[in-house]
Amino acid sequence: MSPHTEPRDTARARVRTSTRDADAMAVTAFVLGLVGLLVMNLVLGPVAVVLGALALHRRTTRPGRAQLAIALGLTDVLVLACLVAADGTWSWSLT
């Protein structure tokens, strides 16, 4: 193996790992955004927004999922604001 082949292979592996990490971030952000609609809006919403933005910044192969995660995260915060405005609580209430 020539010395020039090894760094190129390492660079390709690094790019593949970076893309895989960005894809995992997009999926995680999407799931957190969905769960955040039901519980822990204050925490999960902003986390979904940040992870979705990071996934887009790192050039995920799933940009639609990352954008949807950002939208869901913002919706989480909006739902929380509506709950606080409606009955002055920071959580869901069935009674």
Side-chain angles (χ1 to χ4, degrees):
M1 214 183 238
S2 71
H4 298 292
T5 306
E6 194 167 311
R8 235 181 288 152
D9 291 341
T10 305
R12 284 185 191 151
R14 209 174 304 135
V15 168
R16 259 184 273 133
T17 302
S18 175
T19 303
R20 220 176 310 144
D21 290 346
D23 290 347
M25 273 190 220
V27 172
T28 302
F30 177 74
V31 170
L32 290 177
L34 280 176
V35 173
L37 288 172
L38 301 174
V39 294
M40 296 176 48
N41 312 59
L42 185 62
V43 175
L44 296 180
V47 170
V49 171
V50 169
L51 281 177
L54 277 173
L56 286 175
H57 180 71
R58 293 185 180 183
R59 306 230 184 250
T60 181
T61 58
R62 301 170 180 206
R65 187 157 299 161
Q67 292 167 348
L68 189 56
I70 292 170
L72 284 170
L74 293 174
T75 303
D76 292 348
V77 176
L78 182 65
V79 166
L80 178 65
C82 290
L83 284 171
V84 170
D87 60 356
T89 185
W90 287 90
S91 63
W92 291 97
S93 177
L94 298 176
T95 58

